[in-house]
Amino acid sequence: MASRKPLRRVAWAAAAATGILAASAGTAVAVPAAPTTAAAPARAAASCAYPYVCLFKDGVRIGQFQDVTSGFQSLPSKPTGTASSPITVTNTRHDDVAYIRFNTGTTVCLPPEYSTNFTGTLTGIRISSSATC
């Protein structure tokens, strides 16, 4: 069982790298971590306790969510990530995916136990009880 999650992460990362997440003209693209910032998602995951999905900006937690919902929960602050200062989203849940909505209407699915960086303006989050995207 333990080997499934790393394979799932590799498959999701490969899909992101091939542009599946960029299908909306690049408005909601996962930003690959540069070697100098590779530890940022790991640090964020360390400060986001199970069973939360947390949002971080410049290393500061700006939101945390835990409720499974049928619709999106609005993000009143509408945080914006840039290439030099992305939004890190960490999903610590073991079996639930998190959907991230951007101001363009694009949504991105974050698998369980996964953390990544995003650019763009986030407007909503929805945690689903589905274990796969």
Side-chain angles (χ1 to χ4, degrees):
M1 283 283 198
S3 63
R4 282 188 182 173
K5 290 189 191 298
L7 290 177
R8 188 179 331 156
R9 289 181 186 144
V10 169
W12 190 85
T18 58
I20 291 175
L21 293 178
S24 66
T27 55
V29 179
V31 178
T36 57
T37 61
R43 280 194 309 269
S47 61
C48 183
Y50 173 84
Y52 291 99
V53 176
C54 300
L55 285 72
F56 296 87
K57 175 75 172 182
D58 299 324
V60 176
R61 184 174 38 211
I62 59 172
Q64 69 179 31
F65 301 84
Q66 83 174 78
D67 296 334
V68 172
T69 59
S70 59
F72 278 90
Q73 299 176 66
S74 292
L75 302 177
S77 66
K78 294 183 177 47
T80 299
T82 63
S84 62
S85 181
I87 301 293
T88 300
V89 181
T90 300
N91 181 2
T92 66
R93 299 174 74 91
H94 301 306
D95 297 312
D96 303 323
V97 299
Y99 292 94
I100 309 303
R101 183 181 64 199
F102 292 81
N103 65 336
T104 60
T106 301
T107 60
V108 175
C109 182
L110 197 65
E113 299 179 343
Y114 198 85
S115 184
T116 193
N117 295 328
F118 291 105
T119 60
T121 302
L122 285 61
T123 60
I125 186 168
R126 182 173 71 86
I127 299 172
S128 169
S129 59
S130 174
T132 59
C133 289

